[in-house]
Structure formats: C-alpha cells, structure tokens
C-alpha cells in the first residue's frame, strides 16, 4: 500500500475501507496512515478526518517525510 502522514492534534483510529494501519504520535500531533491506494485515496482520507464532528475536532494535511 501507499503511506502518507497526516498532521492533526489528536486522531482516533481510522476505520475506513482501504486503510490498513494508522499509527498516531500524540506528542508530535501526527499520524502515519498505510492504505490501499486502489481502495481509497489520500484526498478521501483527509476529507474523512476533516469531517469528523463537522470539522470541529481535527484538521488533516499531507506532510512530506523522508524514507
């Protein structure tokens, strides 16, 4: 699958079709999300997180990391 990081204050476990793993680092307000790019897109994951509690709790953005 593909990986992307999502910056956020805190993040509940993501339960979306296509999301394989979500690892949250609360200290850094980041989560690394592994997902099946054939089942869900980065844009859909970000929209899902931004839509939690009508956008009142979380703000997700993609950040670049070096591998």
């Amino acid at each position: 699958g593909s990986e992307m990081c999502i910056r956020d204050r805190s993040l509940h476990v993501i339960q979306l079709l296509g999301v394989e793993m979500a690892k949250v680092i609360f200290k850094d307000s980041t989560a690394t999300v592994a997902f099946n790019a054939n089942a869900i897109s980065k844009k859909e994951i970000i929209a899902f997180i931004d839509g939690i509690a009508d956008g009142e709790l979380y703000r997700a953005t993609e950040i670049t990391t070096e591998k």
Side-chain angles (χ1 to χ4, degrees):
S2 299
E3 285 191 18
M4 79 174 193
C5 288
I6 299 175
R7 181 161 295 282
D8 189 35
R9 281 194 200 165
S10 63
L11 184 63
H12 295 283
V13 175
I14 298 172
Q15 296 180 342
L16 287 173
L17 181 63
V19 172
E20 298 166 353
M21 181 276 304
K23 179 180 178 183
V24 179
I25 302 170
F26 291 101
K27 182 180 106 181
D28 298 334
S29 298
T30 19
T32 300
V33 179
F35 63 98
N36 178 341
N38 293 319
I40 193 166
S41 70
K42 293 176 189 180
K43 186 176 180 179
E44 289 172 307
I45 294 169
I46 290 171
F48 173 82
I49 294 166
D50 286 348
I52 296 172
D54 293 326
E56 297 295 320
L57 292 180
Y58 305 110
R59 178 72 182 122
T61 56
E62 182 178 357
I63 58 174
T64 304
T65 60
E66 304 232 355
K67 292 188 178 194

